[in-house]
Amino acid sequence: MSLRLDYSALSDVGRVRKNNQDSGYAGPWLLAVCDGVGGAARGDIASGTAIGELRRLDEDPADRELLGLVAGSMQRAHDRISDLVEEDSALSGTSTTATVILFDGSRIGVGHVGDSRAYLLREGVLSQLTHDHTFVQSLVDEGRITDDEARTHPHRNLILKVLDGSSDLEPDLFTLDVAPGDRILVCSDGACGYLADERLGAILGEGTPDFASVELVRASLDAGSTDNVTCVVADVVGEQTDLSPDLSPLLVGAAAELPRRTPSRHGIFRHRDTGELDPIRADIPAEAGGAIASDPIDPEEARYAPQPRPRFLWLRRILSTLLVLGLALMAAGLGGWWANQQFYVSDSSGNVAIYRGLQGTVVGFRLSEPYRTTNVSLDQLSSVDRAAVRDGIDVTSLDDAERVVQNLYADADPATPDSTSDSASGSSGAP
Ligand code: MG
């Protein structure tokens, strides 16, 4: 059975921030939310760029592997951000979360980095599909704080994984079978950071995707969200379900090039727009709908704690290469010194000889050289000794080698004449 998606998307700048750094997308095959990070480093550019790349996924995946498509697209978005920073160093530090869902008619493939979230509402039960890559989530995982405490933790904004074009991209990737009646939500932390699951599920369970997305944004702002808020809602429907004839792909938030302020039938927004609430009067208390005091330090500035791009990368690479070469030379030097302390007894042109080094060859190179050739001919030796010498006799030291030679000499048959004279490099006398 081939299923379809009925979807809606909405993004709002919120009541505090001047810019919307969230971007969202909803289409027949693709749902995605990116929450730009970086404050002055223009998170809106990161999220808009990422969605611009990710939206290319919005086509029937057919038999292609869902997670491969998602991972590839996320990597390209990551690389696009890298290119942007390369071209304009003022963008250094810009980054974005990315929660991406690709649908193939029966399953979804999910790719995720950051703290935007994907949820599934199935038969009235809400499940969070993604796992936040945040500092506070790691504390929750370790059992050190609760979910509720995480919601108000002073470092709740700190993200550990993003698309930033510099770090290695390691998204969570998984697939899930879907069924008619399932409802999917993808949202930025401006929504899920302010609405508890119970409230989120209750709102998500009502009305059409269009209605649910509007209500989720409204409720997030009413709950005190000081952030941009983006919600993408999609229903999984059967083939026979009639979809709105004007249902077309939706691009919202920073990724939408021309934001419009058009009242919707719900009174605030019209979907497909980057909606913005009417200006909030500063002289009205927040609880009465007035402005919420901004944090003295913009938390967005410290959100990802972006790692500065490495400076003097070329110099680091040269130094690293030199270090590796130095270590290799040192290892070779130590190996050579050690080999120079090794000896064995073998045959040199028919005479017993002491060799310095290691028996054998490496890629055609001998690892030893004659240290001393004695005047003991192999012809004087017993067949057993002769074979042993030809095979090479291992010794523990030069003294040990000399003892072996003395023993061979002692066992040699003096009736057999020498075949050579002593050609030692520094030896004299018998043997
Ligand atoms: Mg946010």
Side-chain angles (χ1 to χ4, degrees):
M1 179 174 55
S2 184
L3 306 171
R4 294 187 296 167
L5 294 181
D6 181 15
Y7 51 84
S8 181
L10 185 64
S11 184
D12 192 274
V13 69
R15 294 176 177 168
V16 172
R17 301 194 181 284
K18 298 187 187 75
N19 303 312
N20 192 349
Q21 302 202 343
D22 285 0
S23 294
Y25 183 87
W29 308 100
L30 182 73
L31 312 169
V33 166
C34 292
D35 179 351
V37 182
R42 302 293 304 274
D44 55 332
I45 291 180
S47 75
T49 299
I51 285 289
E53 181 63 43
L54 293 167
R55 64 186 293 194
R56 296 168 188 264
L57 276 179
D58 190 18
E59 58 183 20
D60 184 357
D63 295 329
R64 289 178 293 170
E65 208 266 310
L66 282 180
L67 295 186
L69 292 171
V70 171
S73 184
M74 293 180 78
Q75 184 62 54
R76 285 191 293 279
H78 190 63
D79 294 342
R80 285 283 298 123
I81 293 170
S82 175
D83 293 343
L84 287 177
V85 175
E86 201 74 39
E87 290 162 12
D88 182 357
S89 60
L91 296 178
S92 181
T94 193
S95 57
T96 182
T97 72
T99 302
V100 186
I101 292 184
L102 182 60
F103 173 64
D104 71 355
S106 62
R107 293 179 310 150
I108 54 174
V110 183
H112 168 72
V113 287
D115 66 349
S116 299
R117 288 182 180 174
Y119 291 89
L120 174 69
L121 185 70
R122 175 174 287 173
E123 296 173 353
V125 178
L126 185 74
S127 310
Q128 183 180 328
L129 300 179
T130 52
H131 195 71
D132 293 350
H133 298 139
T134 58
F135 174 67
V136 290
Q137 184 61 54
S138 65
L139 297 181
V140 172
D141 293 343
E142 292 167 10
R144 294 165 63 182
I145 62 173
T146 65
D147 282 331
D148 283 344
E149 288 168 336
R151 214 177 285 283
T152 54
H153 193 282
H155 300 305
R156 62 188 177 282
N157 290 318
L158 198 60
I159 311 179
L160 305 179
K161 282 185 182 180
V162 285
L163 300 184
D164 63 358
S166 61
S167 54
D168 289 339
L169 181 60
E170 297 172 339
D172 293 341
L173 295 164
F174 57 91
T175 60
L176 183 75
D177 291 333
V178 291
D182 285 350
R183 175 166 279 187
I184 298 165
L185 166 67
V186 188
C187 63
S188 64
D189 67 330
C192 52
Y194 293 85
L195 296 176
D197 284 1
E198 192 176 324
R199 178 91 173 111
L200 203 73
I203 299 170
L204 199 58
E206 297 291 327
T208 63
D210 197 13
F211 177 85
S213 61
V214 170
E215 288 305 308
L216 284 168
V217 171
R218 187 201 302 273
S220 302
L221 298 178
D222 288 348
S225 178
T226 57
D227 200 356
N228 310 137
V229 185
T230 300
C231 293
V232 172
V233 178
D235 281 344
V236 179
V237 299
E239 217 168 356
Q240 307 306 320
T241 303
D242 288 333
L243 297 179
S244 170
D246 64 349
L247 185 62
S248 54
L250 308 175
L251 186 63
V252 296
E257 291 181 359
L258 295 173
R260 290 171 289 172
R261 291 169 178 267
T262 308
S264 76
R265 62 179 182 271
H266 302 290
I268 301 179
F269 311 106
R270 191 177 79 178
H271 76 300
R272 293 171 206 160
D273 289 350
T274 298
E276 291 189 7
L277 291 178
D278 292 335
I280 304 300
R281 291 176 53 186
D283 56 340
I284 300 176
E287 56 272 20
I292 296 169
S294 301
D295 294 337
I297 299 173
D298 183 354
E300 194 65 21
E301 296 282 357
R303 182 157 152 70
Y304 173 44
Q307 303 297 311
R309 290 174 72 77
R311 299 178 67 194
F312 307 116
L313 196 57
W314 58 273
L315 183 59
R316 291 183 187 197
R317 285 179 178 155
I318 290 173
L319 290 175
S320 298
T321 304
L322 289 176
L323 180 63
V324 170
L325 281 175
L327 290 173
L329 286 172
M330 192 183 299
L334 284 172
W337 174 84
W338 176 80
N340 217 29
Q341 310 305 309
Q342 309 305 307
F343 294 90
Y344 66 96
V345 175
S346 189
D347 159 34
S348 175
S349 302
N351 275 36
V352 174
I354 298 174
Y355 284 80
R356 184 202 290 270
L358 303 174
Q359 296 195 58
T361 61
V362 171
V363 289
F365 290 97
R366 287 183 64 101
L367 301 176
S368 61
E369 59 182 2
Y371 173 77
R372 184 168 79 82
T373 303
T374 71
N375 57 5
V376 180
S377 167
L378 262 63
D379 293 338
Q380 296 174 281
L381 303 181
S382 68
S383 58
V384 173
D385 285 349
R386 192 181 308 129
V389 169
R390 281 180 174 147
D391 287 344
I393 302 172
D394 290 327
V395 296
T396 57
S397 63
L398 180 57
D399 288 344
D400 194 21
E402 295 288 4
R403 272 193 295 277
V404 169
V405 169
Q406 289 292 344
N407 290 339
L408 290 170
Y409 177 72
D411 294 341
D413 179 2
T416 306
D418 301 352
S419 60
T420 64
S421 61
D422 191 343
S423 59
S425 54
S427 99
S428 63

